[in-house]
Amino acid sequence: MTNPARDGGAKVCVAWREGCTGNGELWRIMDEVARTEWWESLPAGIRDEIDGYVLQDSFLRAVRVVVAVGLVAHDIGVGPAQLIVNDRYRHYGDRVARTPESPLDLESLTYRAAGCAGRIAAIEAVWDGDTVHDWFVRLLAVTVDPAGDHALATVYWSTAARYLGENEDYGSRHLAAVAAERAGGALAARLSVPFHFASPDTPDDEAPRWQP
């Protein structure tokens, strides 16, 4: 299927592949050839803007630009935009200034916790997610006097894999949950406070929070 549109006076056709899932739902995907052709049809200034965000490791900003210039004209929504931006990440490889991942070692977490205002009453792990990282876990220090949540670490799948290594099998559990439970539990033990993770086996960003 093609979706003809006009961009800067030049006619651009975006090719989609279509099919059905086992339950009858329609899927559409913009293949790599079509993504490359669409990318090369963009004005140099737009390409430079997107690549600038990629080189800064600003994935979401790059995706927003792709959607802004591609949605109306070529039906390029968030899904295809993510594929296009991912192509640019692969193009630049190690030249991308990657955002550092949170350290999960006990000494680093302890040092981070020491900077929290207020008395730490608990260490808590809560689920979160976005279209870039899928599900991940945030480690928080929950304080009283004053009350508040203080971010200690964000545990993505890649963060968890680096922390846990490859020597154990965690079954169907999400690696971020395993790593957050291990690191958060160790920190809570060092600080002599409770560790709370309401849904360690199933991602749930509406799971009940810790209550004093």
Side-chain angles (χ1 to χ4, degrees), residues 3 9 33 38 43 47 65 69-70 77 81 91-92 96 107-108 114 119 124 132 139 144 160 181 206 212:
N3 180 13
V33 172
W38 184 83
R47 294 199 305 268
V65 176
V69 300
H91 172 77
Y92 284 111
V96 176
E107 296 306 318
S108 294
R119 177 175 62 86
E124 185 169 25
V132 176
L139 273 181
V144 295
E181 189 173 52
E206 296 182 352

Coordinates of all heavy atoms in Angstrom, one line a residue, residues 3 9 33 38 43 47 65 69-70 77 81 91-92 96 107-108 114 119 124 132 139 144 160 181 206 212:
N3 N 1.1 5.6 0.2 CA 0.3 6.8 0.7 C 1.0 8.0 0.1 O 1.9 8.6 0.6 CB 0.4 6.9 2.2 CG -0.3 8.1 2.8 OD1 -1.1 8.7 2.1 ND2 0.0 8.4 4.0
G9 N 6.7 20.5 -2.6 CA 6.5 20.5 -4.0 C 6.8 19.2 -4.7 O 6.5 19.0 -5.9
V33 N 13.4 0.0 3.6 CA 13.6 0.7 2.3 C 12.8 2.0 2.3 O 13.2 3.1 1.9 CB 13.3 -0.2 1.1 CG1 13.3 0.5 -0.2 CG2 14.3 -1.4 1.1
W38 N 12.0 7.8 2.6 CA 11.4 9.0 3.2 C 12.4 9.9 3.8 O 12.4 11.1 3.7 CB 10.4 8.5 4.3 CG 9.6 9.7 4.9 CD1 8.5 10.3 4.4 CD2 9.9 10.4 6.1 NE1 8.1 11.3 5.2 CE2 9.0 11.4 6.3 CE3 10.9 10.2 7.1 CZ2 9.0 12.2 7.3 CZ3 10.9 11.1 8.1 CH2 10.0 12.1 8.3
P43 N 14.1 17.8 3.6 CA 15.1 18.8 3.5 C 16.3 18.7 4.4 O 16.1 18.1 5.5 CB 14.3 20.1 3.9 CG 12.8 19.7 3.7 CD 12.8 18.2 4.0
R47 N 16.6 17.1 8.4 CA 17.5 16.0 8.7 C 18.5 16.4 9.8 O 18.8 15.6 10.7 CB 18.2 15.4 7.5 CG 17.2 14.8 6.4 CD 18.0 13.9 5.5 NE 19.1 14.6 4.8 CZ 19.0 15.2 3.6 NH1 17.8 15.2 3.0 NH2 20.0 15.8 3.1
V65 N 10.0 15.5 16.3 CA 10.2 16.2 15.0 C 9.7 15.3 13.8 O 9.0 15.8 12.9 CB 11.7 16.5 14.8 CG1 11.9 17.2 13.5 CG2 12.1 17.5 15.9
V69 N 6.6 16.5 11.2 CA 6.8 16.7 9.8 C 6.2 15.6 8.9 O 5.9 15.7 7.7 CB 8.2 16.9 9.3 CG1 8.8 18.1 10.1 CG2 9.1 15.7 9.6
G70 N 5.9 14.4 9.6 CA 5.5 13.3 8.8 C 4.0 12.8 9.0 O 3.5 12.0 8.2
G77 N 3.2 8.1 12.2 CA 2.9 8.3 13.6 C 4.1 8.0 14.5 O 5.2 7.8 14.0
A81 N 7.9 6.6 13.4 CA 8.8 7.6 13.8 C 9.9 7.0 14.7 O 11.1 7.3 14.5 CB 8.2 8.8 14.5
H91 N 22.9 4.3 12.5 CA 23.8 5.0 11.6 C 25.0 5.6 12.3 O 26.1 5.5 11.9 CB 23.1 6.1 10.8 CG 23.9 6.9 10.0 ND1 24.5 6.5 8.7 CD2 24.4 8.2 10.2 CE1 25.2 7.5 8.2 NE2 25.2 8.5 9.1
Y92 N 24.7 6.3 13.4 CA 25.8 7.0 14.2 C 26.5 6.1 15.2 O 27.7 6.4 15.5 CB 25.2 8.2 14.9 CG 24.9 9.4 13.9 CD1 23.6 9.7 13.6 CD2 26.0 10.0 13.3 CE1 23.4 10.8 12.7 CE2 25.7 11.1 12.4 CZ 24.4 11.4 12.1 OH 24.2 12.4 11.2
V96 N 26.9 8.6 19.2 CA 25.8 9.2 20.0 C 26.3 9.3 21.5 O 26.9 8.4 22.0 CB 24.6 8.2 20.0 CG1 23.5 8.7 20.9 CG2 24.1 8.1 18.6
E107 N 27.2 1.4 47.5 CA 27.8 2.6 47.9 C 27.3 3.9 47.2 O 27.1 4.9 47.9 CB 29.4 2.5 47.7 CG 30.0 1.4 48.5 CD 29.8 1.6 50.0 OE1 29.8 2.7 50.5 OE2 29.5 0.5 50.7
S108 N 27.0 3.8 45.9 CA 26.5 4.9 45.2 C 25.1 5.2 45.7 O 24.7 6.4 45.8 CB 26.5 4.6 43.7 OG 27.8 4.5 43.2
A114 N 22.0 9.8 51.1 CA 22.4 10.7 52.1 C 22.1 12.2 51.8 O 22.1 13.1 52.6 CB 23.9 10.6 52.4
R119 N 13.9 12.8 56.8 CA 14.3 11.5 57.3 C 13.8 10.4 56.4 O 12.6 10.4 56.1 CB 13.8 11.3 58.8 CG 14.0 10.0 59.4 CD 13.6 9.9 60.8 NE 12.1 10.1 60.9 CZ 11.2 9.1 60.8 NH1 11.6 7.9 60.5 NH2 9.9 9.4 60.9
E124 N 11.5 2.6 48.2 CA 10.4 2.0 47.5 C 10.8 1.9 46.0 O 11.5 2.7 45.4 CB 9.2 2.9 47.6 CG 7.9 2.3 46.9 CD 6.7 3.1 47.3 OE1 6.8 4.3 47.6 OE2 5.6 2.5 47.2
V132 N 9.7 4.6 24.7 CA 11.1 4.4 24.4 C 11.7 3.1 25.1 O 12.3 2.2 24.5 CB 12.0 5.6 24.7 CG1 13.5 5.3 24.4 CG2 11.5 6.8 23.9
L139 N 13.6 3.7 41.6 CA 13.9 3.5 43.0 C 13.8 4.8 43.7 O 14.4 5.8 43.3 CB 15.3 2.9 43.2 CG 15.5 1.4 43.2 CD1 17.0 1.1 43.5 CD2 14.6 0.7 44.3
V144 N 10.0 11.6 55.5 CA 9.1 12.3 56.3 C 9.9 13.5 56.9 O 11.1 13.5 57.0 CB 8.5 11.5 57.4 CG1 7.6 10.4 56.8 CG2 9.6 10.8 58.3
A160 N 19.6 -2.9 34.3 CA 19.5 -4.2 35.1 C 20.4 -5.2 34.6 O 21.1 -5.9 35.4 CB 18.0 -4.7 35.1
E181 N 14.7 -4.8 43.0 CA 14.5 -5.5 44.3 C 15.8 -5.8 45.0 O 15.9 -5.6 46.2 CB 13.7 -6.8 44.0 CG 13.2 -7.5 45.3 CD 12.3 -8.7 44.9 OE1 12.7 -9.5 44.1 OE2 11.2 -8.7 45.4
E206 N 0.1 1.4 38.7 CA -1.0 1.8 39.7 C -1.0 1.0 40.9 O -2.0 1.0 41.7 CB -2.4 1.8 39.0 CG -2.5 2.7 37.8 CD -3.8 2.7 37.1 OE1 -4.7 1.8 37.5 OE2 -4.1 3.5 36.2
P212 N 3.2 5.0 55.6 CA 3.8 5.0 56.9 C 2.9 4.4 58.0 O 1.7 4.4 57.9 CB 4.1 6.5 57.2 CG 3.2 7.2 56.3 CD 2.9 6.4 55.1

